[in-house]
Amino acid sequence: MTDQGDIPDGIPGKPTSASRTTLSHIMTSHDTNLLGTVHGGVIMKLVDDAAGAVAGRHSGGPAVTASMDEMAFLEPVRVGDLLHVKAQVNWTGHSSMEVGVRVMAERWNESTPATQVGSAYLVFAAVDAEGKPRPVPQVIPETEQDKRRNQEAQIRRTHRLARRQAIKELRERRAAEGHED
């Protein structure tokens, strides 16, 4: 076993840079909501697409979205913005991966720097042809920023598991008390 404990021997790790990717898309009037800005769901789909590509690259095959931990919209996105969705694997478990995504926007016809308009963390599970979980390579952080992201991802995982357990215990306790949900 490797130092992660649950990754089988024989699967070589992959550096963060091996699967990092950027998806770029110009926002059009078809992407807008009733306020005239780009609909959050459109941005979320682009986030999921980029994260899915990264998860598939890292795992070497199909990977499915298991959860979206956070999606923060920091600034509105407008028609004519060139959106850059940057994604990378932050952490890996046995068959799961956390992918961090940063969403940047710039005007399509200006040479001003892109500004961050959103961020998200998604968890993907690598699956085989039957849809069953399959092992993934350990991610190897390369920079200090990658190491920080890996540590933060481990904290998010701990919180995710603790939250899931607390909710399970609450539901069991309520059921034992005769409450119907």
Side-chain angles (χ1 to χ4, degrees), residues 48 64-68 96 122-125:
D48 191 45
V64 296
T65 310
S67 69
M68 180 179 277
S96 63
L122 297 88
V123 177
F124 280 79

Side-chain angles (χ1 to χ4, degrees), residues 23-159:
L23 180 145
S24 297
H25 189 78
I26 294 178
M27 299 289 99
T28 69
S29 60
H30 296 283
D31 302 318
T32 60
N33 58 27
L34 296 175
L35 298 174
T37 57
V38 173
H39 195 288
V42 170
I43 296 169
M44 289 174 75
K45 177 163 183 351
L46 294 171
V47 164
D48 191 45
D49 287 346
V54 166
R57 280 178 159 184
H58 183 82
S59 69
V64 296
T65 310
S67 69
M68 180 179 277
D69 257 9
E70 296 177 28
M71 178 73 219
F73 297 99
L74 306 173
E75 297 286 336
V77 177
R78 302 173 293 156
V79 170
D81 280 351
L82 178 57
L83 216 62
H84 304 289
V85 184
K86 301 170 180 265
Q88 75 171 45
V89 173
N90 290 335
W91 173 89
T92 50
H94 178 70
S95 61
S96 63
M97 301 157 274
E98 183 197 87
V99 179
V101 181
R102 178 174 293 205
V103 184
M104 308 293 289
E106 62 181 305
R107 295 305 292 168
W108 70 274
N109 60 347
E110 297 174 8
S111 59
T112 56
T115 58
Q116 185 174 357
V117 295
S119 64
Y121 300 102
L122 297 88
V123 177
F124 280 79
V127 295
D128 63 17
E130 288 81 42
K132 304 288 185 205
R134 62 182 174 80
V136 298
Q138 179 180 2
V139 69
I140 303 168
E142 298 172 282
T143 66
E144 286 305 313
Q145 192 174 42
D146 291 342
K147 290 174 186 172
R148 176 189 52 80
R149 289 175 176 156
N150 182 272
Q151 292 169 337
E152 290 173 358
Q154 290 177 52
I155 292 168
R156 281 187 291 275
R157 179 177 186 272
T158 299
H159 287 204

Side-chain angles (χ1 to χ4, degrees), residues 11-22:
I11 298 178
K14 287 187 177 180
T16 306
S17 62
S19 58
R20 188 179 289 138
T21 195
T22 300

